[in-house]
Amino acid sequence: MKKYFFIISIALLCSQAAGAEVPVIQNQGDSLFTIQMDSVAMTIDVNGGKIRSFRYGDREMLSQLPWPNAFGSTFWTSPQKEWYWPPVPEYDNMPYAVKQRKSSLVMTSQVPRTHQYRITKEFYVDPTDTAFVVSYTITNVSPLERKVAPWEITRVVNDGGCIYFDADLEDITPAGLMDFKEKDDFVYYQPDTKPTNRKINADGEGWLAYQNHGLILMKRFQNLEEDQPAPNEAEIQVYVNRGKTYIELESQGAYTSLKPGKSLTWAVRWYLRPIGDACFQ
C-alpha cells in the first residue's frame, strides 16, 4: 500500500457520507441498546456500559469471545496501579443507569466505595462526518483532590489484519516485543499468535486504526504531549493475548487533577468503513 492510498483511506473515514440517514436509537431488550447510522451499528450493554458490537452490515469488528474481559469495548480509570486487577466491577460490568434521549444515549455508573469516581458515557453520532462518538466523563465524588486519566479498551479478534498508528519505532516500548514496521509517517503491525501475552506503549498522534474483515476501524482522540499520560501509561497501548484469541486496542487521555466534585470529559470518535485487503506488505 502506498502512502497516498493510506492517507486517502483515512481522509475518507473523516469525510461526510453522502445521503447519510438520521441516526436511530433502539432499545433491543436484554440490557442492550443499538445506535445505527446507514450501514454502521453500535450496540451497548447496560452491564458495564460496554460496547458489545460495532459492525458494518453483518460484518462484526469487535471480539465476541465468551470469556470475561475478552470481548467488546470497555472503559477504566488510569493508572492501573491504583486498582491493578481485576477491573473495578462498577465501571466494567455492573449495571449503569440509562437515559435515552432523542439523539444520544447516556449511561452512568455506580460509585465504588474504594475508588469514588462516577463514570458517565454518552453515545451519539456526529452527522458532519458520521463518527460514532463516545464521550466519557469521570467525576471525583471523594472529599480529596485526586489525579486520574481516562482509558478506553477495545477488543478485536486476532485472526489477521493490521494495526496502524502514527509514531516512531524508537518510541514504542518495550522495544522488539512486537514486530512493528515503519512505513512513511506511521507504523504498522500484523499481529502474531505467540503463546505469550505482551503489551506495548507508544506516544502517538491522536489516532489508532485496525484493518480486518474487509473493514477499517479508526479511532480519533486527544493527542497527548509526552508529559500528559498517567505514570507508566501511554497515549496508545496494544495488548496481544496469547495464541489466536484477541487483541486490545487501547488509548488514554491526559492525567488530570480533579478537586472534589469536579469532572473531566474525554471523547473518542469511532469510524468504520469498507477498505479491501486485510493487510498490506
Side-chain angles (χ1 to χ4, degrees):
M1 183 187 290
K2 301 296 185 183
K3 177 181 178 182
Y4 76 87
F5 182 69
F6 188 76
I7 291 174
I8 289 172
S9 298
I10 297 302
L12 286 173
L13 292 176
C14 303
S15 64
Q16 182 173 356
E21 300 174 358
V22 175
V24 176
I25 302 176
Q26 292 184 321
N27 184 342
Q28 304 290 340
D30 296 327
S31 79
L32 300 176
F33 288 80
T34 294
I35 303 176
Q36 181 157 355
M37 180 74 164
D38 296 331
S39 299
V40 183
M42 176 180 283
T43 298
I44 305 105
D45 193 337
V46 168
N47 295 307
K50 187 172 294 185
I51 300 171
R52 293 294 301 266
S53 170
F54 194 50
R55 61 190 183 275
Y56 188 97
D58 60 357
R59 286 182 282 174
E60 178 61 59
M61 204 59 168
L62 302 187
S63 169
Q64 302 296 303
L65 293 172
W67 319 322
N69 303 306
F71 60 89
S73 184
T74 189
F75 180 83
W76 301 333
T77 58
S78 178
Q80 187 171 356
K81 67 179 183 180
E82 292 191 350
W83 50 267
Y84 189 57
W85 196 259
V88 180
E90 287 84 353
Y91 305 151
D92 187 70
N93 54 59
M94 291 180 65
Y96 277 50
V98 183
K99 181 179 291 186
Q100 183 175 345
R101 297 174 175 168
K102 182 178 180 181
S103 58
S104 71
L105 190 66
V106 180
M107 295 190 179
T108 304
S109 76
Q110 302 176 49
V111 177
R113 181 180 57 82
T114 52
H115 296 84
Q116 295 189 299
Y117 291 116
R118 178 180 294 111
I119 308 300
T120 303
K121 306 178 184 182
E122 184 172 13
F123 304 87
Y124 62 95
V125 176
D126 183 349
T128 63
D129 62 356
T130 63
F132 281 66
V133 184
V134 189
S135 180
Y136 301 100
T137 299
I138 302 175
T139 302
N140 178 13
V141 298
S142 79
L144 303 174
E145 183 171 353
R146 307 169 69 193
K147 294 194 75 173
V148 67
W151 184 5
E152 185 182 72
I153 302 92
T154 301
R155 301 176 179 114
V156 295
V157 176
N158 187 0
D159 62 351
C162 273
I163 297 167
Y164 308 96
F165 54 86
D166 192 341
D168 296 324
L169 280 178
E170 57 266 29
D171 292 333
I172 299 175
T173 58
L177 189 63
M178 299 180 191
D179 188 22
F180 274 91
K181 294 180 172 62
E182 204 158 23
K183 181 75 172 180
D184 300 313
D185 293 333
F186 57 90
V187 295
Y188 71 97
Y189 168 56
Q190 188 168 15
D192 53 68
T193 56
K194 294 178 181 179
T196 56
N197 301 333
R198 52 227 182 270
K199 183 173 183 174
I200 58 92
N201 293 335
D203 177 19
E205 292 292 333
W207 64 269
L208 174 61
Y210 178 67
Q211 184 179 355
N212 202 4
H213 306 142
L215 300 171
I216 187 166
L217 164 65
M218 180 181 178
K219 301 202 293 181
R220 298 177 63 197
F221 39 82
Q222 177 190 5
N223 180 31
L224 301 185
E225 301 297 331
E226 289 185 4
D227 62 346
Q228 286 187 292
N232 301 312
E233 304 286 353
E235 177 186 325
I236 288 176
Q237 299 174 311
V238 176
Y239 168 83
V240 180
N241 198 64
R242 63 185 178 274
K244 192 174 181 180
T245 52
Y246 69 94
I247 301 162
E248 292 183 345
L249 309 173
E250 308 178 17
S251 53
Q252 296 197 21
Y255 194 44
T256 304
S257 291
L258 293 180
K259 293 182 178 180
K262 297 299 181 179
S263 302
L264 69 83
T265 297
W266 177 71
V268 181
R269 304 176 70 85
W270 293 48
Y271 303 86
L272 187 63
R273 301 285 193 274
I275 197 173
D277 293 340
C279 193
F280 72 92
Q281 301 297 329

